[in-house]
């Protein structure tokens, strides 16, 4: 698409207007024909706020452009035209550009709003910040367990984000007096992952694979793309950017994406199989035949020439092309660097007799003959995608080093010898116990061999052997009662399972845990639940200390005495937990109490176990 | 611009649950535990006999065969004292049964199969030695009779595999039913686990019909293979269990809610004592499970030497403060409870 160019008069001086719509940022440039008489005027289209043109009926052809920021107009520029058609062209282009900018701004604003409400978005969407060594250090420093335990801000933030944890914290620490540090000591992992979560930046990913068109009823596709994703798509698939540049605003932005997601181009870029007769999109599918390697950098040795030609026919691309040129040149230089000494060891041109007897490494899968075209196509597009993603991350220095490392020959390095540890394997566990009952065997072995009495086996064998003498298949049950009972039993199991399965599904889909279907008043259930989680909290700390204290002694652990006291305190807390369970059960009556007891039984057993273990340790 | 609609998209997701279930023939393999002295116990405690179970199973097999003319069945016995695990049906050598099964008007094919099954099992029962002396002799080291239920399950899986590899029957879907009466100590843990993995890989559900003591390992087998584990509370209604809860075709499994016992005990068995354990030790090299620390401080399975210091640490008793003043004094005197003396 060539830029719109035509004559216009500015401050009574004749000149040429060019609208560089495709440049970034888009600009309007006016140059005086007689260079030197008046300085050129450049207007960034992003700063255009108002636009006024003289009426069609009026003989004058004036276009007034208001420049400013927001809705405020700071200055005005007036051009006079001598062709209404050209003026209208300029006007339309400006209108479209402004409209596009406004919709983009609206989308950005909604995005920013969603970002600030929770999810952390990388500040510059899609362009990952360069790996910042200092940042890493800060994070590593922050993740230190001791620092995490001291980081009150982080802890408070985590509590605010997790209501369940907040509840436990309130109950165990605030009400029941558990040491906050103690509380967090078992949750360092939570703090750490929370800290990482809050500091993490997202790396590049294959963006098209994350977009899944959902077929709704009536064969409609619903796809939602965010600004961020569009940015990623443009970066990873320059061809889409090109298609977008070429077609928007000829078609609306929404229409473009809608067409794109149903086009063959989309399927091809995603690596899906594209059949010739599939339905696609006529406008966008022509980009299928574009050079798939199009990414704004032609790796052609004739690039200078090519660019020279282009420069003439398409002045507007000059700036971008010069960037491409340096990138391409840089690349080419890597391969054809003259004057630099190439080590004889790796210089294949150095010695014509250098042909190895073997053929060397086989060519890459995409370079072999007789390959499946589809497979090669997929491999190529994957390689392209990876290359683009890598380009966005790595700086050139890294690329060079990587390239050098690739060239390095390692086959003469000492081979690593893998050391193995020989294991002998004895399968002594896989024996079943004797299926002869031990008591029968013992009796048999202990009795007198001279005068043996018949064993239970001997006796039973007599009837056992006769079991199948008479078999009546028409009488596999005696009466219908057990059949009915069995039927009910199976039905009940099935019903119960159906219920619990439905419950698991609900659990999977919803973020907030659903209530268990228990026939208890809600507040009572809630009270039991709270007692339960608090007790578990204390049990956790109890066992932690109980088990760790056995391995330490006053000589190895300066806090030994304090920890013993702490453990004793936890023992007391657990006895209080037992009381709490009892009292919350006492508040229930009748059938509710039985149900409550059933729910709390495992907990009571755990509490009792903790108490017993402690008491046993005192005596022994 | 977030919601883009277009009519060009025609693919729609189909819910797998609503796929039509076709009538693919299936194979039902049954393993019956005939452990004699366990049967003696069951007869006494639950008044259920081997005869009852065998005839109910035969009726179940007949039902399975009558559902589809291309259906197949296989029957194995396990835990026989003198035969171990054995194939009962189909046998290669065909012996015409002359037995009259008290079932006038029975379909001829069934009569043939049923007769052959009853004959074969009775023959095996009759081959069991009459006395314990004949069975195990006097030599104490040779009196061990191992459990063969896991073996029978493996044999059944091999049978299924053979059929699935054959040209004409490879589409056959299969399931395995285990009728067990013995407890977990008769099951070699590793073999059972391997059987479970094999079934999972072959996508064969293992159903368990449990009489006598309940079984943790068989529960796990059913759970891992989308099978049904059901404990028989009323043996008189056995036929009902067998033809409903335990009669679910493999094709139906993904769709229906199974009447299986969902409270599964996932505990493992100790490799030394063969007992199910709650809390134990695991060898970091071979992952074998131990309930006690071996005396020689070596893994019994892979012989790796355990770290002596670590074991000493593990063996150390926890140290705690006494609860009351009085106790504390006592502890000091005995020199056992206080940390200083430990
Ligand atoms: Zn080991």
């Amino acid at each position: 698409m060539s830029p719109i160019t035509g004559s216009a008069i500015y401050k009574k001086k004749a000149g040429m207007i060019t609208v560089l719509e495709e440049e970034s940022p888009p600009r309007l440039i006016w140059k005086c024909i007689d260079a030197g008489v008046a300085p050129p005027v450049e207007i960034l289209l992003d700063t255009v706020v108002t636009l006024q043109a003289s009426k069609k009926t009026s003989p004058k052809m004036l276009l007034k452009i208001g420049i400013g920021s927001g809705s405020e107009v700071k200055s005005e520029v007036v051009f006079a035209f001598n062709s209404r058609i050209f003026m209208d062209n300029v006007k339309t282009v400006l209108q479209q550009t402004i409209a596009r900018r406004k919709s983009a701004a609206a989308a950005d604003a909604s995005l920013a709003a969603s970002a600030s409400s929770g999810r952390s978005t990388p500040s510059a969407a899609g362009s990952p910040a360069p790996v910042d060594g200092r940042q890493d250090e800060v994070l590593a420093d922050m993740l230190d367990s001791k620092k995490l335990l001291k980081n009150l801000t982080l802890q408070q933030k985590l509590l605010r984000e997790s209501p369940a944890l907040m509840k436990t914290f309130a109950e165990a620490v605030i009400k029941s007096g558990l040491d906050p540090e103690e509380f967090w000591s078992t949750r360092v992992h939570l703090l750490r992952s929370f800290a990482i979560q809050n500091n993490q930046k997202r790396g590049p990913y294959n963006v098209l694979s994350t977009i899944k068109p959902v077929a709704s009823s009536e064969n409609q596709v619903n796809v939602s793309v965010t600004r961020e994703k569009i940015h990623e798509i443009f970066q990873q698939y320059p061809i889409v950017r090109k298609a977008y540049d070429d077609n928007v605003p000829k078609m609306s932005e929404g229409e473009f994406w809608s067409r794109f997601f149903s086009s063959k181009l989309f399927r091809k870029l995603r690596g899906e199989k594209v059949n010739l007769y599939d339905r696609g999109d006529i406008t966008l599918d022509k980009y299928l035949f574009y050079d798939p390697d199009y990414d704004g950098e032609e790796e052609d040795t004739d690039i200078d020439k090519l660019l020279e030609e282009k420069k003439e026919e398409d002045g507007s691309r000059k700036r971008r092309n010069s960037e491409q040129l340096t990138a391409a040149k840089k690349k080419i230089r890597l391969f054809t660097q003259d004057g630099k000494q190439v080590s004889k060891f790796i210089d294949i041109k150095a010695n014509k007799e250098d042909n190895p007897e073997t053929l060397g490494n086989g060519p890459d899968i995409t370079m072999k003959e007789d390959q499946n075209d589809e497979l090669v196509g997929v491999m190529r597009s994957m390689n392209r995608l990876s290359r683009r993603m890598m380009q966005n991350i790595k700086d050139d220095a890294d690329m060079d080093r990587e390239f050098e490392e690739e060239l390095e020959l390692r086959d003469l390095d000492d081979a690593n010898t893998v050391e193995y540890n020989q294991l002998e394997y004895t399968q002594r566990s896989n024996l079943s116990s004797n299926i002869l009952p031990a008591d029968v065997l013992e009796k048999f072995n202990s009795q007198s061999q001279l005068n043996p009495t018949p064993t239970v086996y001997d006796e039973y064998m007599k009837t056992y052997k006769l079991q199948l003498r008479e078999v009546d298949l028409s009488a596999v049950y005696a009466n219908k009662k057990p059949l009915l009972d069995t039927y009910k039993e199976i039905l009940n199991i099935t019903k119960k399972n159906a219920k619990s399965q439905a419950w698991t599904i609900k659990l999977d889909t919803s973020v907030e845990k659903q209530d268990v279907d228990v026939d208890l008043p809600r507040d009572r259930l809630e009270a039991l639940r709270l007692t339960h989680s608090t007790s578990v909290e204390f049990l956790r700390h109890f066992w932690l200390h109980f088990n760790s204290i056995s391995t330490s002694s006053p000589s190895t652990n300066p806090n030994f005495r304090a920890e013993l006291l702490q453990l004793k305190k936890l023992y007391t807390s657990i006895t209080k937990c037992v009381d709490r369970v009892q009292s919350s059960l006492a508040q229930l009556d009748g059938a509710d109490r039985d149900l409550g007891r059933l729910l709390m039984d495992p907990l009571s057993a755990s509490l009792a176990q903790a108490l017993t273990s402690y008491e046993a340790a005192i005596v022994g | 611009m977030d919601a883009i609609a277009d009519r060009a998209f025609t693919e729609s997701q189909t819910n797998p649950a609503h796929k039509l279930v076709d009538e693919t023939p299936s194979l039902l393999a049954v393993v019956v535990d005939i452990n004699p002295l366990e049967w003696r116990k069951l007869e006494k405690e639950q008044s259920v006999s081997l005869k009852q179970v065998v005839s109910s199973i035969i009726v179940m097999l007949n039902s399975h065969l009558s559902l589809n003319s291309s259906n197949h069945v296989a029957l194995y016995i396990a835990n026989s004292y003198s035969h171990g695990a054995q194939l009962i049906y189909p046998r290669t050598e065909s012996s015409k049964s002359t037995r009259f099964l008290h079932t006038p008007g029975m379909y001829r094919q069934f009569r043939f199969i049923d007769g052959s099954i009853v004959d074969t099992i009775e023959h095996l029962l009759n081959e069991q030695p009459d006395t314990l002396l004949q069975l195990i002799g006097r030599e104490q080291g040779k009196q061990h009779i191992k459990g063969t239920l896991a073996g029978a399950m493996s044999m059944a899986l091999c049978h299924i595999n053979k059929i699935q590899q054959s040209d004409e029957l490879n589409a056959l879907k299969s399931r395995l039913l285990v009728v067990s009466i013995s407890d977990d100590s008769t099951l070699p843990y590793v073999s059972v686990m391997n059987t479970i993995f094999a079934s999972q890989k072959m996508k064969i559900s293992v159903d368990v019909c449990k009489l006598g003591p309940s079984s943790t390992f068989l529960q796990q087998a059913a759970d891992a293979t989308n099978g049904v584990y059901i404990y028989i509370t009323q043996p008189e209604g056995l036929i009902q269990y067998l033809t409903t809860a335990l009669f679910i075709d493999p094709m139906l499994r993904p769709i229906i809610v199974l009447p299986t016992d969902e409270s599964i005990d996932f505990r493992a068995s100790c490799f030394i004592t063969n007992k199910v354990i709650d809390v134990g030790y695991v060898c970091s090299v071979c992952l074998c499970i131990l309930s006690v620390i071996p005396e020689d401080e070596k893994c019994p399975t892979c012989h790796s030497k355990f770290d002596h210091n670590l074991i000493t640490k593990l063996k150390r008793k926890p140290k705690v403060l006494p609860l009351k003043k009085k106790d504390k004094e006592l502890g000091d005197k005995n020199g056992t409870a206080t940390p200083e003396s430990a």
Side-chain angles (χ1 to χ4, degrees):
Chain A
M1 220 168 93
S2 61
I4 295 163
T5 322
S7 57
I9 298 155
Y10 175 64
K11 288 190 176 166
K12 291 179 184 164
K13 303 269 179 342
M16 294 294 281
I17 271 192
T18 315
V19 184
L20 301 169
E21 200 196 336
E22 293 180 358
E23 295 229 343
S24 163
R27 283 170 297 164
L28 179 148
I29 294 171
W30 178 86
K31 274 182 189 154
C32 186
I33 295 179
D34 199 357
V37 175
V41 176
E42 188 179 291
I43 298 170
L44 294 177
L45 298 192
D46 285 348
T47 60
V48 175
V49 182
T50 56
L51 199 61
Q52 275 179 302
S54 43
K55 280 180 193 137
K56 268 183 188 160
T57 47
S58 153
K60 280 188 181 172
M61 289 174 277
L62 295 175
L63 187 66
K64 191 156 84 177
I65 304 173
I67 302 164
S69 60
S71 54
E72 190 189 346
V73 179
K74 283 179 181 154
S75 62
E76 282 179 343
V77 180
V78 182
F79 291 108
F81 292 83
N82 36 34
S83 148
R84 182 157 290 273
I85 299 168
F86 176 61
M87 189 188 87
D88 284 347
N89 271 344
V90 172
K91 196 182 79 185
T92 326
V93 169
L94 293 185
Q95 274 171 344
Q96 280 167 342
T97 316
I98 295 163
R100 215 187 311 165
R101 193 188 74 227
K102 275 185 182 156
S103 72
D108 284 345
S110 73
L111 208 72
S114 70
S116 62
S117 68
R119 199 164 49 92
S120 61
T121 338
S123 50
S127 56
V131 182
D132 190 341
R134 208 173 46 84
Q135 165 96 22
D136 280 357
E137 246 169 60
V138 171
L139 192 61
D141 190 42
M142 203 170 96
L143 294 185
D144 179 67
S145 298
K146 275 182 198 148
K147 296 223 166 112
L148 283 171
L149 285 177
K150 294 256 164 3
N151 194 340
L152 295 178
T153 345
L154 187 76
Q155 291 166 7
Q156 277 163 12
K157 217 164 148 192
L158 176 58
L159 285 178
R160 266 201 302 278
E161 288 211 359
S162 150
L165 192 64
M166 183 72 198
K167 223 183 218 173
T168 320
F169 184 83
E171 194 64 21
V173 179
I174 301 172
K175 271 200 206 156
S176 311
L178 184 73
D179 184 30
E181 193 156 331
E182 183 76 27
F183 177 86
W184 289 112
S185 68
T186 54
R187 288 183 175 80
V188 172
H189 61 288
L190 286 182
L191 286 172
R192 188 171 290 132
S193 65
F194 186 71
I196 291 172
Q197 231 175 57
N198 274 290
N199 279 281
Q200 212 159 35
K201 285 194 181 65
R202 187 162 187 184
Y205 58 100
N206 181 357
V207 62
L208 284 190
S209 69
T210 63
I211 294 172
K212 292 193 177 61
V214 186
S216 67
S217 57
E218 299 161 27
N219 275 342
Q220 292 200 325
V221 204
N222 291 318
V223 181
S224 62
V225 271
T226 55
R227 276 282 144 200
E228 252 175 308
K229 285 208 169 157
I230 291 174
H231 188 99
E232 293 275 332
I233 293 173
F234 283 166
Q235 203 150 40
Q236 283 170 21
Y237 303 94
I239 191 81
V240 183
R241 188 194 188 102
K242 180 166 173 47
Y244 180 87
D245 281 348
D246 290 355
N247 293 294
V248 181
K250 260 186 281 171
M251 57 174 85
S252 81
E253 203 163 344
E255 189 192 349
F256 173 81
W257 291 113
S258 157
R259 277 162 173 258
F260 174 63
F261 290 125
S262 55
S263 68
K264 284 194 227 172
L265 181 66
F266 173 61
R267 270 171 273 165
K268 168 121 188 254
L269 291 178
R270 254 160 70 108
E272 282 169 31
K273 207 171 147 185
V274 178
N275 289 320
L276 197 58
Y277 304 107
D278 278 352
R279 269 194 65 177
D281 184 272
I282 304 166
T283 327
L284 295 181
D285 282 346
K286 63 178 189 233
Y287 292 94
L288 273 176
F289 308 105
Y290 255 77
D291 174 19
D293 272 318
Y294 172 85
D295 53 4
E297 45 158 45
E298 280 89 338
E299 293 168 28
D300 198 330
T301 36
D302 289 336
I303 192 142
D304 292 78
K305 220 171 110 195
L306 207 78
L307 290 175
E308 225 34 67
E309 279 166 23
K310 270 198 177 169
K311 213 189 277 177
E312 279 157 29
E313 67 170 40
D314 190 350
S316 70
R317 290 204 163 181
K318 206 157 98 192
R319 208 167 58 91
R320 209 206 290 181
N321 281 347
S322 66
E323 273 166 19
Q324 288 170 7
L325 187 67
T326 37
K329 272 185 177 165
K330 212 186 223 167
K331 246 193 181 163
I332 294 158
R333 208 172 41 228
L334 262 179
F335 293 94
T336 59
Q337 220 162 27
D338 288 330
K340 197 178 177 187
Q341 199 74 36
V342 178
S343 157
K344 289 271 182 261
F345 191 55
I346 56 169
D347 186 2
I348 38 172
K349 281 185 187 162
N351 185 352
K352 290 210 172 132
E353 269 99 56
D354 199 21
N355 281 333
E357 283 184 27
T358 55
L359 289 171
N361 295 332
D364 178 75
I365 187 166
T366 57
M367 307 283 264
K368 280 182 197 159
E369 278 182 90
D370 303 330
Q371 286 288 333
N372 180 345
D373 279 349
E374 240 164 62
L375 180 73
V376 172
V378 170
M379 288 304 288
R380 286 221 172 107
S381 52
M382 279 163 81
N383 286 342
R384 263 196 299 277
L385 180 67
S386 314
R387 195 183 69 218
R388 284 185 191 128
M389 293 207 300
M390 291 310 284
Q391 265 170 1
N392 290 339
I393 311 173
K394 295 217 163 183
D395 49 344
D396 285 332
D398 269 351
M399 287 285 268
D400 287 355
R401 201 172 57 223
E402 205 168 284
F403 185 68
E404 275 164 26
E405 264 173 31
E406 249 173 60
L407 284 179
E408 206 176 305
L409 298 178
R410 280 171 226 240
D411 51 352
L412 293 180
D413 288 356
D414 289 336
N416 277 335
T417 46
V418 185
E419 278 176 43
Y420 293 103
N421 209 354
Q422 193 180 337
L423 287 183
E424 280 173 63
Y425 178 74
T426 319
Q427 202 184 51
R428 63 183 266 190
S429 54
N430 196 24
L431 295 173
S432 81
S433 320
N434 199 338
I435 56 174
L436 267 180
D439 53 329
V440 175
L441 200 61
E442 200 183 316
K443 213 168 165 190
F444 172 73
N445 283 330
S446 60
Q447 73 184 342
S448 151
Q449 292 186 24
L450 294 168
N451 184 22
T453 49
T455 61
V456 277
Y457 173 87
D458 305 352
E459 274 160 20
Y460 182 64
M461 262 307 150
K462 286 177 201 144
T463 57
Y464 185 66
K465 284 186 174 188
L466 294 175
Q467 293 255 351
L468 297 184
R469 183 129 306 169
E470 297 267 309
V471 174
D472 183 356
L473 293 181
S474 64
V476 287
Y477 61 92
N479 60 65
K480 281 194 176 164
K481 172 106 191 356
L483 290 193
L484 277 175
D485 292 348
T486 311
Y487 167 75
K488 274 185 209 148
E489 184 191 333
I490 293 168
L491 208 63
N492 282 337
I493 301 176
T494 314
K495 275 184 189 162
K496 201 184 105 211
N497 287 355
K499 224 177 200 177
S500 74
Q501 274 177 24
W503 184 58
T504 351
I505 291 163
K506 245 193 259 164
L507 261 187
D508 286 346
T509 49
S510 63
V511 185
E512 284 288 303
K513 279 189 183 164
Q514 295 287 317
D515 258 338
V516 200
D517 198 5
V518 175
D519 285 334
L520 274 181
R522 237 197 119 71
D523 55 327
R524 297 274 186 253
L525 184 64
E526 206 50 46
L528 286 182
R529 200 173 273 162
L530 207 56
T531 313
H532 191 278
S533 62
T534 317
S535 306
V536 169
E537 180 67 25
F538 278 108
L539 275 174
R540 192 197 305 205
H541 293 284
F542 173 81
W543 286 113
L544 200 76
H545 283 276
F546 188 76
N547 287 325
S548 72
I549 203 124
S550 62
T551 56
S552 67
S553 66
S555 55
T556 57
N557 185 354
N559 297 328
F560 187 69
R561 190 84 202 171
E563 280 184 25
L564 277 178
L565 283 168
Q566 177 82 18
L567 184 59
K568 193 179 167 188
K569 230 173 95 191
L570 283 166
Y571 173 87
T572 328
S573 301
I574 291 201
T575 52
K576 279 182 197 150
C577 285
V578 176
D579 297 344
R580 268 201 292 273
V581 172
Q582 288 312 322
S583 72
S584 49
L585 283 177
Q587 284 169 17
L588 303 168
D589 33 38
D592 281 359
R593 183 180 293 180
D594 292 341
L595 189 58
R597 189 155 285 147
L598 198 70
L599 291 172
M600 299 307 262
D601 260 354
L603 178 69
S604 303
S606 312
L607 292 171
Q609 176 67 43
L611 297 179
T612 331
S613 300
Y614 189 95
E615 283 150 19
I618 299 170
V619 181
Chain B
M1 89 151 288
D2 275 355
I4 292 165
D6 183 31
R7 284 173 190 276
F9 200 82
T10 48
E11 286 165 45
S12 65
Q13 277 187 314
T14 48
N15 188 344
H18 296 301
K19 262 190 214 157
L20 261 182
V21 175
D22 59 358
E23 298 197 346
T24 318
S26 68
L27 166 73
L28 169 63
V30 181
V31 173
V32 189
D33 183 352
I34 62 163
N35 187 346
L37 289 182
E38 279 304 318
W39 271 113
R40 179 175 162 268
K41 233 191 270 172
L42 271 183
E43 272 179 37
K44 273 189 186 163
E45 289 164 8
Q46 284 187 296
S47 62
V48 55
S49 67
L50 178 64
K51 174 181 168 178
Q52 226 177 316
V53 169
V54 167
S55 43
S56 296
I57 287 171
I58 290 175
V59 171
M60 180 201 193
L61 294 179
N62 289 350
S63 318
H64 181 74
L65 289 172
S66 55
L67 278 182
N68 186 323
S69 59
S70 312
N71 274 357
H72 284 249
V73 293
L75 181 66
Y76 287 82
I77 55 136
N79 284 348
S80 160
Y81 285 166
S82 51
H83 297 86
Q86 284 263 326
L87 173 68
I88 300 298
Y89 181 86
R91 304 273 270 202
T92 36
E93 75 271 20
S94 61
S95 55
K96 272 263 153 56
S97 171
T98 51
R99 177 183 285 270
F100 179 64
L101 289 164
H102 288 280
T103 39
M106 187 190 224
Y107 177 50
R108 200 174 155 272
Q109 200 63 29
F110 287 171
R111 194 196 300 269
F112 174 68
I113 295 169
D114 301 351
S116 140
I117 290 174
V118 177
D119 279 351
T120 315
I121 299 180
E122 197 191 14
H123 182 68
L124 285 176
L125 295 188
N126 276 319
E127 279 185 358
Q128 308 265 348
D130 280 325
T131 62
L132 198 55
L133 181 64
Q134 286 166 341
L135 180 68
I136 54 172
R138 285 281 169 208
E139 218 176 314
Q140 295 224 359
K142 291 184 178 171
Q143 290 176 334
H144 186 91
I145 300 176
K146 62 177 190 220
T148 49
L149 190 75
M153 286 167 72
S154 307
M155 285 167 80
L157 288 178
C158 289
H159 178 80
I160 291 169
N161 188 48
K162 197 171 92 191
I163 283 185
Q164 286 181 342
Q165 299 295 321
S166 71
D167 289 336
E168 67 269 34
L169 294 171
N170 53 16
L172 219 57
K173 296 268 178 188
S174 308
R175 67 185 204 264
L176 175 61
L177 169 69
V178 178
V179 182
S180 158
I181 57 163
S182 313
D183 69 9
D184 273 349
S185 69
T186 65
L187 289 172
Y189 180 71
V190 177
S191 299
V192 177
M193 291 301 136
N194 286 339
T195 317
I196 294 176
F197 298 141
S199 320
Q200 275 182 322
K201 211 164 182 184
M202 294 163 73
K203 297 198 166 49
I204 291 166
S205 296
V206 178
D207 293 336
V208 179
C209 168
K210 193 78 190 84
L211 289 138
S214 72
S215 162
T216 305
F217 301 155
L218 292 177
Q219 256 180 349
Q220 293 175 20
D223 181 68
T225 59
N226 198 25
V228 173
Y229 176 96
I230 197 155
Y231 186 81
I232 308 300
T233 48
Q234 304 178 75
E236 305 87 20
L238 187 67
I239 188 67
Q240 181 79 277
Y241 291 103
L242 290 178
T243 51
T244 54
L246 296 165
F247 207 67
I248 299 160
D249 193 84
M251 300 297 287
L252 293 171
R253 304 250 166 180
I255 307 168
I256 66 171
V257 176
L258 296 176
T260 184
D261 187 354
E262 281 201 329
S263 49
I264 304 139
D265 184 345
F266 282 110
R267 285 178 302 169
S269 159
C270 167
F271 279 42
I272 294 179
T273 59
N274 266 344
K275 289 201 175 81
V276 175
I277 51 170
D278 296 303
V279 180
Y281 308 94
V282 172
C283 167
S284 56
V285 177
C286 70
L287 301 182
C288 89
I289 300 154
L290 309 169
S291 60
V292 288
I293 299 170
E295 283 298 314
D296 58 357
E297 297 183 1
K298 272 184 188 168
C299 170
T301 304
C302 71
H303 305 278
S304 304
K305 183 100 183 69
F306 294 140
D307 183 358
H308 178 74
N309 291 334
L310 206 72
I311 286 196
T312 337
K313 271 190 177 180
L314 282 177
K315 281 182 174 166
R316 231 175 249 162
K317 289 228 162 60
K319 291 155 230 161
V320 296
L321 287 179
L323 293 172
K324 292 174 208 149
K325 271 262 152 67
K326 204 177 138 199
D327 283 356
K328 194 184 169 189
E329 282 157 19
L330 258 174
D332 277 339
K333 266 181 212 158
N334 295 340
T336 47
T338 49
E340 288 79 13
S341 59

